[in-house]
Amino acid sequence: MSEDKRTLAGGNWRMPNREPGEDETWDRLGDDWRAVDGLVPDVRLYACWDKQEDGRSYLSGLTVSGGRITAELLRAIPVGRLENIPNAVAMESIDELAPLTRRQGEPPEQFADRVAWYYRFFSGVSSRPAKEISEHSDVPLPTVHGWIREARLRGKLPPGKRGKAG
């Protein structure tokens, strides 16, 4: 079975390619679903995503398989990261993502759109997206916080919640 392998800020996780007959649960779920291994140790998750009108993906289904399902296991599932996997899969690696910088003469609205995209992308792979943007782009963290604040004020990102990325 071949795999999409990702080593991102959120850790190692894999999305194996579906081979009919190899995974009974996946066969029952169908081709719209993807298996995700490695987000929770020794547990295979199956997820399905749909698209909103604005083109962004959202998690529309989640199945847990592989042993005893407990409240502790369910709390350990990083649903926020699962929601944003389509963003992460769209990139071969974070290294291919250009650093976020304000381009000379770039309209503020356009820059705010790019900040929001980067924030959503890094929210999918890390619980500290501002820090990840800062390190990836070699920009001071307070500068990135200012960019995110500006994107929120322009309505490109929802209001922030303390301690919660996204």
Side-chain angles (χ1 to χ4, degrees):
M1 184 183 298
S2 61
E3 301 180 334
D4 280 339
K5 290 186 181 180
R6 304 289 180 237
T7 304
L8 303 173
N12 293 330
W13 51 273
R14 296 163 302 288
M15 292 180 68
N17 292 322
R18 183 170 179 269
E19 300 291 336
E22 285 190 11
D23 184 322
E24 183 181 331
T25 302
W26 204 349
D27 287 341
R28 285 195 316 260
L29 291 169
D31 290 330
D32 291 340
W33 290 73
R34 292 296 310 259
V36 181
D37 296 329
L39 282 178
V40 178
D42 302 319
V43 175
R44 174 166 273 185
L45 303 173
Y46 300 89
C48 182
W49 296 269
D50 285 322
K51 290 215 184 257
Q52 300 179 117
E53 288 180 18
D54 65 4
R56 292 189 346 202
S57 296
Y58 66 92
L59 186 65
S60 60
L62 176 63
T63 299
V64 181
S65 181
R68 187 170 172 214
I69 298 174
T70 63
E72 182 180 358
L73 169 65
L74 293 175
R75 284 190 296 270
I77 296 171
V79 176
R81 292 205 181 121
L82 276 170
E83 288 175 323
N84 290 300
I85 280 178
N87 292 333
V89 170
M91 304 300 295
E92 283 302 314
S93 74
I94 287 178
D95 294 334
E96 292 181 14
L97 183 62
L100 179 61
T101 58
R102 193 180 296 261
R103 299 175 186 144
Q104 188 172 359
E106 181 176 27
E109 199 73 17
Q110 185 178 357
F111 181 67
D113 282 332
R114 290 194 310 114
V115 169
W117 188 92
Y118 274 71
Y119 187 85
R120 283 190 293 273
F121 175 83
F122 280 100
S123 291
V125 296
S126 173
S127 62
R128 302 192 62 193
K131 182 176 184 280
E132 295 292 337
I133 293 168
S134 170
E135 290 175 359
H136 177 77
S137 302
D138 198 25
V139 173
L141 185 58
T143 300
V144 173
H145 282 143
W147 292 346
I148 292 167
R149 180 179 178 276
E150 182 180 335
R152 289 190 195 290
L153 290 173
R154 293 180 179 277
K156 307 299 182 180
L157 289 169
K161 296 176 186 168
R162 261 201 197 281
K164 172 104 172 105

